[in-house]
Amino acid sequence: MASLRDIQSKINSTKKTKQITKAMQMVSASKLTRAEQNAKAFVPYSEKMQEVVVQIAASGDATHPMLQTRAVKKTGYLVITADRGLAGGYNNNVIREVYRTIQHQHTDADEYTVIAAGRFGRDFFKKNNLPIAKEIIGLPDQPDFSDIKQIASEAVEMFLEEEIDELVLFYNHFNSAISQEVTSQKLLPLTDLSSEKGRSVQSMYEFEPDAEEILKVLLPQYAESLIYGALLDAKASEHAARMTAMRSATDNANERIDDLTLTYNRARQAAITQEISEIVSGAAAQQS
């Protein structure tokens, strides 16, 4: 059995670890509140943007490469992960899903490329020799559109220049503080707009110049906004996952401290009993 000093050392060490995990839990909870607000606040803009794009695209015979499906020779995967760990399965879940998709759908590295947003995903793809076309790390916990503007524009430009024939987005969708779901979304081409055209639109827009000129500017901005919206969603998921993981770590530390304290008390009681027995035995020996 470990000595009392060793057990007490373990208790003190576990208490220090608990202080760290508790602090990280509280910080993540604070960040989650703001990230969730940011994600929800962006939804009305995204919905209105989609409504305008749908109406303009349906108003005439305007065409745009981002609306047209073509033969897929190369797929781009935009993967959003975190820069840090200690977030449970947040990073591993999305990376596993992307890797499984690549393994099932592609037989050659020339058939796909990866756009990595986040250090965790970037490092994984580099370690496994997967082709990386673009990367961005060091995104803030509460990102602005300017933080993602460049890589979002480059991803859209890759599609327009036919470097890739489709762009698929992978990220963790925020359901609640305890539930995050790995989501894949075909970002380009914007085929989902055709399904929206059949819906009645309350607002009517008068616009100039013609629809084709407007879509030339509006569609890239719309695609970039979808990427930004997914990033906000992913950030909320990241903070929620880290908060949950740190809460679990804190709970485990409490259980560990309780177990060690019980072991310490038992060992201390045994030592006291042993000392009493030795004193009684010594006194009896002197009397005989």
Side-chain angles (χ1 to χ4, degrees), residues 68-256:
Q68 298 172 349
T69 302
R70 57 177 181 254
V72 178
K73 299 177 182 177
K74 191 169 187 176
T75 301
Y77 294 101
L78 176 53
V79 185
I80 300 176
T81 59
D83 285 334
R84 296 172 293 150
L86 299 178
Y90 173 83
N91 291 304
N92 290 334
N93 289 342
V94 68
I95 288 174
R96 187 184 303 112
E97 186 64 27
V98 175
Y99 193 66
R100 183 186 299 118
T101 299
I102 290 174
Q103 293 291 92
H104 288 173
Q105 296 188 6
H106 306 286
T107 57
D108 192 281
D110 294 333
E111 297 177 355
Y112 66 92
T113 190
V114 174
I115 302 170
R119 189 187 307 275
F120 224 92
R122 190 277 308 267
D123 291 348
F124 173 84
F125 297 129
K126 278 190 174 182
K127 181 179 179 180
N128 288 273
N129 298 319
L130 273 66
I132 300 177
K134 309 286 182 182
E135 64 179 69
I136 183 171
I137 59 175
L139 290 170
D141 290 324
Q142 312 297 339
D144 294 323
F145 180 70
S146 58
D147 297 316
I148 199 72
K149 167 68 176 174
Q150 181 177 350
I151 195 169
S153 299
E154 290 174 350
V156 173
E157 191 65 24
M158 287 175 66
F159 179 82
L160 293 174
E161 295 294 331
E162 299 189 10
E163 295 179 32
I164 57 176
D165 301 300
E166 65 177 359
L167 180 62
V168 182
L169 182 63
F170 279 86
Y171 67 101
N172 278 287
H173 170 62
F174 177 80
N175 289 324
S176 68
I178 59 173
S179 174
Q180 301 85 43
E181 179 183 3
V182 177
T183 301
S184 63
Q185 175 185 355
K186 187 176 180 180
L187 193 65
L188 294 173
L190 294 166
T191 53
D192 62 327
L193 292 182
S194 59
S195 63
E196 298 287 338
K197 290 180 182 179
R199 300 185 182 182
S200 59
V201 180
Q202 297 293 331
S203 305
M204 298 298 294
Y205 300 94
E206 295 181 3
F207 51 85
E208 59 178 21
D210 58 31
E212 191 164 340
E213 287 298 318
I214 294 177
L215 290 178
K216 188 180 296 183
V217 176
L218 198 58
L219 284 178
Q221 293 179 355
Y222 174 60
E224 291 167 10
S225 73
L226 292 179
I227 296 174
Y228 179 57
L231 176 63
L232 293 178
D233 199 0
K235 281 296 181 180
S237 296
E238 177 188 345
H239 298 316
R242 184 167 291 113
M243 181 187 70
T244 302
M246 291 301 98
R247 181 190 295 126
S248 178
T250 302
D251 292 342
N252 290 338
N254 283 328
E255 292 180 7
R256 178 66 172 161

Side-chain angles (χ1 to χ4, degrees), residues 10-11 14-15 18 21 247-263:
K10 290 180 181 179
I11 292 174
T14 307
K15 285 182 177 179
K18 174 191 168 183
T21 57
R247 181 190 295 126
S248 178
T250 302
D251 292 342
N252 290 338
N254 283 328
E255 292 180 7
R256 178 66 172 161
I257 290 170
D258 290 343
D259 291 343
L260 287 171
T261 301
L262 181 60
T263 301

